[in-house]
Amino acid sequence: MRKLIAAASSLFLLTLVLVLKLSAQPAVGPREGQAIFRYDTFGDEQLWTDVLKMHDAVAKVDPATALAVGLKVDVDALPAPVIDALRAGQVDLTDPKVTVELLRLNAVVGVKGTVSESGELTRVGITCALCHSSVDDSFAPGIGSRLDGHANVDLNVGAIVALSPALPEALKTEFRTWGPGKYDPRHHYFDGSNIVPLNSPSVPIVIPPIYGLKGVGFETFSADGPISYWNSYVGVGQMGGHGTFIDPRIGIAISQTPDLVTPKLPALLDYQLSLRTPAPPKGSFDRQAAQRGRQLFEREARCASCHSGPRYTDVVSNPHDTVPFLHDPSEVGTDPVYATRTATGKYRTTPLRGLWQHPPYFHDGSAPDLLAVVDHYDRLFGLGLTAQQKADLVEFLKTL
């Protein structure tokens, strides 16, 4: 048994060293990473087409339904005649053939389809942009220019996956309970051939934004590893990319050759770190109240004791920046179930960035707005904040 444990530990350390080396390599330029983020499926058609048969399901979905479940259309990918026809109301948004044509034009954000000359959708895969991009709605709701790094809070991943004709009805029913803007990365994983159960019942979490990550060091709620570790975990085990991911801590070992994920992690990371936090809209907060709120944040409310430094997180406060500083769920009054399914069993302090534009809050979305967040910590730590102080804190949080 000791030999097995030692071997597993060595294997994990080798994997983590590889990821850290990839993260530390010189930047290869955001442009290459942008292409990977937006358009590279890493060969995950092996899951979405070969196993889930989603090409058959998607071919029957009309654009109106696709928009209703949160899929977005990149207006900049549409030819001028198509834009003119849309403006003139000459495009039938209830016709599934229009969806296939949008895929042929590579205009559906995060979904990549292969369309035959006869107009048949033959293969479909997904990219990082599916969950971590949105659009600015500049043309119409759900249609506009891309906003990379923004969480797609409208995306109903569970409802989309439940369209698969290959899944049992009980599993589809569970997926449908997730709702918009949520996903459970600890429910199942794909090993290259099969969808393997991890934990049950499903505990979906909020899809996070991925802008403002430079200097943070750890992307996920439980800080299982550096950003490229999570990119590897999701790219291989969740998206179904053709690659290798090994972590004995959570009992996953996937090895596929050629590895279409690992070589692209440095460029992908470089692009992710280039995504800046969007500024709050002009006039979206009360400046005087925000100034009072900042003082509360740093003093009486004690928020800065954990949300510290320029990134408003203490996750990298350990002497060794490869080891995250974490909190037990009881410390922050947060549901522990999801944490127990992770490699660390704890939660990091969330870096506060762009809070104004991505409710709900906490890993499980249990706080519908910023006031609910303030109320939670006021109760947990017995702060005794007045209604005015809470309102001032909210105004400050809107500025981040």
Side-chain angles (χ1 to χ4, degrees):
M1 179 63 73
R2 288 182 178 177
K3 290 182 178 180
L4 287 174
I5 294 174
S9 299
S10 299
L11 195 55
F12 167 68
L13 287 173
L14 285 172
T15 303
L16 189 56
V17 167
L18 173 63
V19 170
L20 290 172
K21 286 177 67 178
L22 287 168
S23 301
Q25 287 181 10
V28 294
R31 188 176 298 276
E32 181 184 349
Q34 182 189 72
I36 294 169
F37 177 83
R38 291 183 174 183
Y39 307 117
D40 202 322
T41 66
F42 307 121
D44 65 23
E45 290 87 351
Q46 64 177 348
L47 170 61
W48 297 92
T49 299
D50 299 337
V51 174
L52 293 176
K53 311 297 181 185
M54 289 298 293
H55 62 301
D56 291 335
V58 171
K60 300 171 185 175
V61 174
D62 61 74
T65 301
L67 290 169
V69 295
L71 290 173
K72 307 295 183 181
V73 175
D74 178 5
V75 71
D76 300 315
L78 301 178
V82 174
I83 292 176
D84 292 341
L86 280 167
R87 285 200 176 109
Q90 297 172 346
V91 177
D92 184 1
L93 297 181
T94 65
D95 185 355
K97 291 181 181 178
V98 175
T99 301
V100 175
E101 178 61 15
L102 290 171
L103 287 168
R104 187 186 70 78
L105 293 170
N106 212 12
V108 181
V109 175
V111 183
K112 192 169 182 179
T114 301
V115 182
S116 69
E117 292 184 3
S118 63
E120 179 186 4
L121 182 63
T122 59
R123 294 187 73 72
V124 69
I126 66 169
T127 75
C128 303
L130 177 66
C131 292
H132 299 293
S133 281
S134 189
V135 297
D136 61 9
D137 296 339
S138 55
F139 185 88
I143 306 175
S145 296
R146 289 174 181 256
L147 297 172
D148 286 350
H150 290 235
N152 188 347
V153 296
D154 302 316
L155 187 68
N156 197 326
V157 181
I160 293 170
V161 178
L163 294 175
S164 168
L167 294 176
E169 193 57 39
L171 189 54
K172 292 183 182 184
T173 299
E174 192 169 24
F175 286 157
R176 292 188 189 108
T177 65
W178 290 357
K182 289 187 176 182
Y183 176 73
D184 186 353
R186 304 294 186 179
H187 194 29
H188 291 79
Y189 73 92
F190 183 65
D191 67 1
S193 301
N194 304 291
I195 299 173
V196 183
L198 268 176
N199 298 286
S200 190
S202 180
V203 179
I205 59 172
V206 172
I207 297 172
I210 60 166
Y211 47 60
L213 292 177
K214 190 170 184 178
V216 171
F218 297 89
E219 181 179 15
T220 62
F221 295 111
S222 54
D224 287 11
I227 296 170
S228 287
Y229 164 92
W230 189 253
N231 287 340
S232 179
Y233 173 76
V234 172
V236 179
Q238 299 299 301
M239 290 169 58
H242 198 277
T244 295
F245 176 83
I246 300 170
D247 188 347
R249 298 176 301 171
I250 53 175
I252 295 180
I254 306 166
S255 183
Q256 303 172 84
T257 54
D259 189 335
L260 303 180
V261 178
T262 305
K264 297 168 184 174
L265 293 177
L268 180 59
L269 175 64
D270 190 55
Y271 181 59
Q272 289 172 318
L273 295 183
S274 76
L275 298 174
R276 298 190 176 184
T277 302
K282 186 177 181 180
S284 62
F285 60 91
D286 182 319
R287 290 189 177 276
Q288 290 186 337
Q291 289 176 354
R292 295 193 300 268
R294 175 187 286 275
Q295 292 183 346
L296 286 164
F297 185 92
E298 295 174 350
R299 299 173 187 173
E300 294 95 325
R302 305 199 300 272
C303 309
S305 61
C306 292
H307 294 283
S308 57
R311 304 290 177 247
Y312 294 98
T313 178
D314 58 5
V315 71
V316 290
S317 61
N318 269 336
H320 301 289
D321 58 7
T322 58
V323 180
F325 182 80
L326 302 174
H327 298 271
D328 288 324
S330 59
E331 284 184 66
V332 289
T334 307
D335 177 36
V337 175
Y338 178 77
T340 63
R341 300 176 175 188
T342 70
T344 66
K346 299 183 179 184
Y347 294 118
R348 65 152 193 196
T349 297
T350 299
L352 306 181
R353 62 213 194 282
L355 294 176
W356 57 271
Q357 68 90 42
H358 62 83
Y361 303 101
F362 298 141
H363 75 280
D364 55 1
S366 55
D369 53 34
L370 290 173
L371 181 57
V373 173
V374 173
D375 281 337
H376 170 82
Y377 288 116
D378 181 55
R379 290 191 302 270
L380 180 68
F381 298 126
L383 300 175
L385 299 176
T386 67
Q388 183 61 59
Q389 288 175 318
K390 292 178 183 179
D392 289 346
L393 265 176
V394 167
E395 292 305 301
F396 170 64
L397 294 174
K398 289 179 182 178
T399 72
L400 301 177

